[in-house]
Amino acid sequence: MAYHTVLSACLQGLRVEQVYVEADVSGGLPMFHMVGYLSSEVREASERVRTAIRNTGIQIPPKKIMVNLAPATVRKRGASFDLPIAIAVLAALGAVPTEPLNQVLIVGELSLAGEVRKVPGILPIAVMAKKTGCRACILPEANMTEGGLVEGLEIIGVRSLKEVCDYLRRGEFVSGRRKAARKSSEDCPAAAQPDFGDIKGRKEAKRAAEVACAGGHNLLMIGPPGSGKTMLARRIPSILPPPTEQESMEITTVYSVLGLVDENQPLMKGRPFREVHHTVTKAALMGGGIVPVPGEISMAHHGVLFLDELTEFRKEVLEVLRQPLEEHKVRISRNHGTYTFPADLMLVAAMNPCPCGNYPDLNRCSCTQAQIDHYLSRVSQPFLDRIDICMEVPRMEYTELRSGKTEESSAEIRKRVLKAREIQRRRYEQSGILANAAVEARELERYCPLGEPEEMLMRQAFTSLSLTARTVHKILRVARTIADLEESGAIQTHHLKEAIGYRTIDKKYWGR
């Protein structure tokens, strides 16, 4: 009789659970039985493992083999348990030494030939291994550089089950070492991005985009087709500040769970830009499934979520965005638990003002008032309240389009954005706030105080524009950002006027 345990892990959303793969070999009727709250793909591992071991050149004796994946209260899914099951069985049979397996976490899928295949979610698994005191991870060679992003953890990449056995017996690979070195953000160049210098004119829209990026504010652009809304939105990432090392790891973790990490450039240095089609479902946007996985909202974490043709989205799809935009996280509840995904993002949306796209130009617009009202009603007041900046982008004139004037580049705009973000970093360094858009309502009195003239202006705007409390708070945050762009310590009247101006469009189009 022999028994051995190998440490592995499984994903529950973005959360990682330790799994102990226990193998017991004893006399009795020959069998290979697995228990431990297993999904069908994990149960099938017994056939893959037995065949892979045989094709590696090791004969399994006719014994009773019992494998348990503990804890039994956690549902095990995926094919990443193949390799740890095989190693646990071989260790229990005495085919490989057990001492090198101490404080080593193992994950990997096996082919019938004994090859080790790539699996998703390696980055959060490696982070968990480091936190729990593991000294090394044995994982597929195709996941090596992703696992190597975790500092202070030895990453051992393997191509086959035979290589794992050779490594455990000799302490090294017969065909050479395959250990990953950590890859820093400097080793991962950011991809080239479209530039604001390509856009002719659109001075007011560019200013609104600059303010939005400087404070992390949500932005809505309204204008006729061809006015440059989409072109402008796609250039917003080029003026956002680069993510910090911690933010890059958080972004990469989301994509790792989805199996979308590029092994040649695992660390995502740039901010994500997710352009979502209006046919998207609630599950695709929020995340979902029997065991929920991140959706488009979480894939835009620390980046931009762009909704083009906003009024073409189903209303119930837009409404599910309200809670994530407010709380910066997505919660999905299932019978077996609640899953939380990150959603700290900047929402950028674009829409036409009416079905034909020409309102309020009555010489061009062919829509009835009822059609216009019905079209605009697809964007609800509660959703609109979560937009910080609403900007009208009018039709472009020919003289503006053909102007030979050199436009300001993204690099120049980005310098001002970075300076404003640095002011915010120093202001909020003790509170953990990253940008003005994240300031809580209870903190506005402290960070966005108003003088007597500004208070009077705000009171007038509240009455004349029928503002909600949430909208007032957003105006104050935007005014704080405008002041930061001017390096002003106090919010002044002209800062507040510009911020209020970004809300007057509500009254013009929605009459509220």
Side-chain angles (χ1 to χ4, degrees):
M1 293 177 64
Y3 167 87
H4 190 73
T5 301
V6 168
L7 179 62
S8 189
C10 70
L11 292 169
Q12 301 289 318
L14 293 186
R15 191 177 72 253
V16 180
E17 297 280 357
Q18 278 188 319
V19 175
Y20 296 92
V21 181
E22 304 172 317
D24 180 83
V25 179
S26 61
L29 187 67
M31 62 181 297
F32 194 120
H33 189 57
M34 294 177 56
V35 296
Y37 198 11
L38 313 177
S39 65
S40 59
E41 62 267 28
V42 181
R43 291 185 183 279
E44 292 166 357
S46 61
E47 299 301 323
R48 290 193 296 272
V49 167
R50 283 193 296 184
T51 307
I53 290 175
R54 186 180 69 248
N55 289 331
T56 301
I58 302 173
Q59 292 298 319
I60 299 178
K63 299 281 187 179
K64 179 182 178 181
I65 300 175
M66 177 68 72
V67 176
N68 177 43
L69 275 62
T73 54
V74 176
R75 181 73 164 170
K76 322 301 186 307
R77 291 180 172 85
S80 61
F81 295 110
D82 293 3
L83 186 58
I85 290 171
I87 296 301
V89 170
L90 291 175
L93 289 170
V96 296
T98 58
E99 187 176 344
L101 295 171
N102 293 334
Q103 295 180 303
V104 174
L105 186 143
I106 304 175
V107 291
E109 179 182 350
L110 286 175
S111 72
L112 297 182
E115 297 171 346
V116 180
R117 292 174 172 163
K118 184 178 180 179
V119 295
I122 287 297
L123 181 57
I125 288 173
V127 170
M128 183 277 295
K130 170 75 182 305
K131 288 180 179 178
T132 54
C134 292
R135 62 177 178 84
C137 279
I138 296 177
L139 43 81
E141 187 181 45
N143 292 117
M144 263 180 64
T145 53
E146 182 184 341
L149 294 173
V150 181
E151 196 170 21
L153 183 68
E154 184 181 10
I155 301 297
I156 303 166
V158 294
R159 294 175 182 169
S160 66
L161 178 59
K162 186 176 186 304
E163 279 193 357
V164 184
C165 296
D166 290 340
Y167 179 78
L168 295 175
R169 290 166 185 155
R170 298 179 176 85
E172 61 181 6
F173 295 106
V174 174
S175 57
R177 296 174 65 83
R178 270 189 284 281
K179 298 185 180 181
R182 186 171 188 269
K183 206 165 189 176
S184 69
S185 59
E186 288 76 14
D187 301 324
C188 306
Q193 295 175 322
D195 198 280
F196 266 83
D198 303 332
I199 303 176
K200 295 293 184 181
R202 314 284 82 176
K203 183 178 177 181
E204 293 80 8
K206 289 178 181 178
R207 168 65 175 177
E210 179 182 336
V211 173
C213 291
H217 303 290
N218 300 324
L219 171 66
L220 171 62
M221 293 176 285
I222 304 176
S227 58
K229 304 184 297 296
T230 302
M231 192 176 182
L232 192 145
R234 288 174 179 165
R235 282 155 177 76
I236 282 177
S238 68
I239 63 174
L240 284 169
T244 64
E245 187 86 4
Q246 177 62 33
E247 288 174 338
S248 290
M249 291 291 281
E250 290 178 16
I251 297 167
T252 307
T253 296
V254 173
Y255 283 76
S256 174
V257 168
L258 295 169
L260 298 177
V261 170
D262 181 356
E263 195 60 20
N264 296 319
Q265 188 177 312
L267 186 65
M268 299 188 68
K269 187 180 179 182
R271 293 188 181 273
F273 179 83
R274 303 296 302 179
E275 186 171 350
V276 181
H277 194 263
H278 62 261
T279 58
V280 70
T281 63
K282 288 192 289 186
L285 193 63
M286 296 283 288
I290 298 174
V291 176
V293 294
E296 289 288 347
I297 294 177
S298 297
M299 292 175 74
H301 181 54
H302 290 313
V304 176
L305 179 68
F306 178 43
L307 307 182
D308 203 359
E309 304 295 346
L310 184 68
T311 48
E312 299 301 324
F313 285 77
R314 290 193 298 276
K315 192 166 184 177
E316 64 269 19
V317 172
L318 290 181
E319 294 306 300
V320 302
L321 279 167
R322 286 159 49 183
Q323 179 263 335
L325 289 176
E326 197 73 20
E327 299 184 9
H328 305 299
K329 63 182 69 173
V330 175
R331 290 197 192 92
I332 299 176
S333 297
R334 292 290 183 268
N335 289 336
H336 48 271
T338 300
Y339 299 81
T340 302
F341 300 129
D344 190 357
L345 57 90
M346 176 179 166
L347 176 69
V348 178
M351 59 176 280
N352 296 334
C354 69
C356 76
N358 295 310
Y359 182 78
D361 185 349
L362 300 182
N363 294 322
R364 293 174 179 265
C365 183
S366 59
C367 305
T368 65
Q369 189 60 48
Q371 287 176 320
I372 295 171
D373 292 342
H374 176 71
Y375 185 79
L376 294 175
S377 70
R378 299 176 189 177
V379 181
S380 69
Q381 178 69 50
F383 180 85
L384 201 62
D385 283 350
R386 285 160 174 82
I387 302 294
D388 305 328
I389 298 174
C390 297
M391 185 68 208
E392 188 171 18
V393 185
R395 186 179 302 279
M396 182 172 285
E397 299 296 333
Y398 181 78
T399 53
E400 187 179 23
L401 178 64
R402 299 298 294 169
S403 170
K405 178 184 175 183
T406 301
E407 300 293 340
E408 195 173 30
S409 69
S410 291
E412 295 171 308
I413 300 173
R414 195 185 203 194
K415 287 178 184 178
R416 298 194 294 270
V417 170
L418 289 174
K419 190 176 292 185
R421 285 290 184 111
E422 178 59 23
I423 291 171
Q424 293 166 55
R425 186 194 65 79
R426 292 197 300 267
R427 179 188 300 129
Y428 305 128
E429 61 184 349
Q430 301 300 323
S431 60
I433 298 171
L434 298 176
N436 289 329
V439 176
E440 296 287 346
R442 64 176 180 275
E443 298 286 348
L444 287 174
E445 193 67 34
R446 174 184 175 188
Y447 294 119
C448 305
L450 299 180
E452 187 174 338
E454 291 77 24
E455 194 70 59
M456 184 179 299
L457 177 62
M458 196 71 247
R459 187 181 300 110
Q460 292 172 349
F462 182 81
T463 303
S464 61
L465 297 176
S466 303
L467 302 177
T468 65
R470 183 182 281 113
T471 309
V472 169
H473 296 158
K474 289 192 176 297
I475 288 173
L476 292 175
R477 295 184 186 107
V478 172
R480 178 69 271 170
T481 299
I482 296 169
D484 290 341
L485 283 167
E486 292 187 4
E487 301 182 56
S488 171
I491 296 175
Q492 299 174 15
T493 304
H494 66 283
H495 303 145
L496 203 56
K497 283 181 178 179
E498 182 177 351
I500 293 170
Y502 291 134
R503 302 305 310 195
T504 56
I505 200 170
D506 302 12
K507 195 78 171 177
K508 178 177 181 179
Y509 286 100
W510 283 272
R512 56 197 186 207

